[in-house]
Amino acid sequence: MNVNISKRQFGTTDGQDVSLYTLTNERGCQVSITNYGGALVSLKTPDRHGEFADVALGFETLEEYVGNPRYFGGLIGRHANRIGLGKFRLNGTEFQLTQNNGVNHLHDGAKGFDKRVWTARDETSEGFAVLRLEYFSV
C-alpha cells in the first residue's frame, strides 16, 4: 500500500513555525491539517465519476486562520459551546472566565486551542500514516 505523509512550511505566528501536513492514502484521497489549532485545511476525495475535489471549507493561508475570529476547522479546547455569563461554580468557588461571545464564554475564550501552535509528530510505516498533535495547557 502506498500511504504517506508530507510536511511543508505554512507560515509563522508568535515567533513559532507552523506546518501543513498532508496525508495521502493508496487511492489518492488527501487530508491536510495544520499544527496551528489542529485545523483541517482541506479534504480531497473523488466524486462518483472519480474526479477529485476539496470537500472541506478551509483557508489557503495561515494568516487567514490567525485573523479569522471563527473557529474554522480547528480544535476547540477544553469545552465546546458557551458558558453563560462567562462564570461557573466548582466546589463552592466561582470562576470568572473571559467573555468573548457577548456576555458569554465561548470555546475556551478569546485565544482558545484553535489559536495555538500544537506540537506535531508524524509517522509512516507500511500501510499507514499518523499525525499526532499535542498541546499542553495549565
Side-chain angles (χ1 to χ4, degrees), residues 20-42:
L20 185 67
Y21 298 83
T22 301
L23 291 84
T24 306
N25 72 9
E26 67 277 358
R27 294 186 178 142
C29 295
Q30 292 184 337
V31 61
S32 293
I33 300 167
T34 178
N35 63 322
Y36 180 76
L40 180 105
V41 175
S42 72

Side-chain angles (χ1 to χ4, degrees), residues 5 18 41 82 84 91 96 104 111:
I5 187 168
V18 175
V41 175
R82 290 161 186 82
N91 297 328
Q96 179 66 56
N104 301 309
K111 190 166 181 179

Side-chain angles (χ1 to χ4, degrees), residues 43-125:
L43 176 61
K44 295 178 182 174
T45 187
D47 63 16
R48 62 183 160 180
H49 303 293
E51 299 295 321
F52 280 83
D54 189 350
V55 296
L57 295 174
F59 295 121
E60 296 291 322
T61 67
L62 174 62
E63 291 75 21
E64 291 171 291
Y65 283 98
V66 171
N68 192 302
R70 307 290 181 255
Y71 302 85
F72 214 68
L75 300 171
I76 297 301
R78 293 176 190 88
H79 65 87
N81 211 339
R82 290 161 186 82
I83 294 178
L85 303 177
K87 27 178 140 166
F88 69 95
R89 185 173 295 280
L90 179 64
N91 297 328
T93 302
E94 186 173 275
F95 295 88
Q96 179 66 56
L97 306 171
T98 58
Q99 295 170 310
N100 63 317
N101 180 248
V103 298
N104 301 309
H105 177 84
L106 179 65
H107 300 330
D108 214 24
K111 190 166 181 179
F113 287 8
D114 68 303
K115 300 292 184 203
R116 307 288 180 163
V117 178
W118 292 57
T119 300
R121 292 190 190 102
D122 60 284
E123 177 185 344
T124 57
S125 186

